[in-house]
Amino acid sequence: MDDEDISGESSAKRRHGYTEQEITRRLIEAIFEQRLPPGERITETQLAGIFGVSRSVVRLSMSKLSDIGVFRKTPNLGYTIAAPSRAEARMMLNVRKMIEPDMVRSITMSRSAADIQRLADHIAIEEAARQAGDRSKLVRLTGEFHLKLAEISGNVYLVHILTQLQVLTCLAILVHAESETGCPRDEHSSIVSAIVEGDGDKAAAGMMHHLTHISEELQIDNLRPEPSLESALRWLGAGPESLICTS
């Protein structure tokens, strides 16, 4: 047995042999469902125990997610789940605005009957989750909608880039969004309707409106300085302006 295997796991689970790709996909799903809290520490040992694999397998997954900014590695402390700042969220959304409107415009020109059915099926599943009040599933599905569009585009680089941006956007929403509602029900369906109609400009405008709505939810144009350890240490080092006696 690998000396990094976690003892006590059932032999059935260990026989399953989760791959690095399966673990990565499962972690992304957890972020899409807003189950992983930003800023929290997460260890190889924890995940190895959950998945019943060696730490070396988990390490591959965590390293991949660290490379795209989902996990942040600190020497001697391990990994923490990213908690993107508003400035980082602004950069993410700006990139998405550069990419996604043109992506759906292109899809409108090349869509097939199978593509349209795939999108219609996804919208129906989103609505079913909304009607059932299954918020976690709905949040995951609304995130996956953007990845489905990237897959339909047939561009593997778009899939890679949007997976990274969508996961980080979900973490930013957890940190900064004041509303807990999922995407409004009409925004995704309006984009799909425009694709079905073959109206590329309308699809692009719908996507831009949708991404602008996300930007507003994240308050990315809020100019209020965000707290940071560096600014806190400067404040502490400056000393108190006055001493308030409470006795």
Side-chain angles (χ1 to χ4, degrees):
M1 182 184 295
D2 189 322
D3 60 4
E4 291 186 324
D5 279 338
I6 301 302
S7 61
E9 292 298 318
S10 71
S11 59
K13 191 168 186 180
R14 186 170 288 112
R15 280 199 303 272
H16 177 281
Y18 284 94
T19 66
E20 170 264 319
Q21 290 86 356
E22 289 172 325
I23 293 170
T24 300
R25 183 174 65 249
R26 189 65 175 155
L27 288 169
I28 288 174
E29 287 175 352
I31 293 171
F32 277 174
E33 292 202 2
Q34 298 189 339
R35 297 181 185 275
L36 283 178
E40 289 293 318
R41 184 168 178 262
I42 189 167
T43 69
E44 293 173 2
T45 300
Q46 286 173 314
L47 294 178
I50 289 168
F51 291 110
V53 298
S54 69
R55 293 202 305 272
S56 59
V57 175
V58 167
R59 191 175 301 130
L60 291 171
S61 174
M62 296 184 81
S63 177
K64 177 180 288 186
L65 291 172
S66 179
D67 286 344
I68 65 173
V70 175
F71 291 146
R72 295 182 177 173
K73 191 172 184 179
T74 304
N76 303 319
L77 291 178
Y79 295 93
T80 56
I81 302 160
S85 67
R86 279 201 175 92
E88 289 169 329
R90 183 185 304 113
M91 288 187 281
M92 291 176 217
L93 269 298
N94 284 343
V95 172
R96 292 184 63 177
K97 287 176 181 178
M98 294 175 194
I99 294 173
E100 294 189 65
D102 280 342
M103 178 182 72
V104 294
R105 181 183 282 110
S106 176
I107 289 171
T108 300
M109 304 301 293
S110 62
R111 76 210 187 288
S112 67
D115 294 333
I116 290 172
Q117 187 60 54
R118 187 178 179 190
L119 291 172
D121 290 344
H122 188 86
I123 293 296
I125 296 170
E126 275 189 22
E127 185 58 27
R130 184 177 283 107
Q131 292 296 329
D134 190 341
R135 182 179 179 277
S136 293
K137 184 176 181 181
L138 176 61
V139 170
R140 172 172 60 79
L141 290 168
T142 55
E144 289 177 352
F145 172 76
H146 295 264
L147 302 189
K148 283 226 187 302
L149 288 169
E151 290 167 1
I152 287 170
S153 77
N155 189 320
V156 295
Y157 297 101
L158 268 179
V159 175
H160 178 79
I161 291 169
L162 284 182
T163 298
Q164 175 184 7
L165 292 172
Q166 185 62 48
V167 170
L168 290 171
T169 300
C170 284
L171 290 170
I173 288 170
L174 269 175
V175 176
H176 300 294
E178 295 185 354
S179 168
E180 291 195 355
T181 60
C183 297
R185 70 177 62 201
D186 61 328
E187 292 189 1
H188 285 178
S189 59
S190 294
I191 294 167
V192 172
S193 294
I195 291 173
V196 172
E197 294 165 10
D199 191 333
D201 289 340
K202 184 177 178 181
M207 179 60 77
M208 183 62 78
H209 170 77
H210 179 49
L211 294 173
T212 299
H213 178 255
I214 296 173
S215 299
E216 291 169 352
E217 285 289 304
L218 294 176
Q219 304 179 64
I220 63 173
D221 293 324
N222 189 332
L223 300 179
R224 184 177 69 249
E226 294 185 82
S228 69
L229 179 59
E230 182 181 357
S231 63
L233 291 176
R234 284 200 304 268
W235 181 85
L236 289 168
E241 294 182 3
S242 63
L243 292 177
I244 300 175
C245 181
T246 58
S247 59

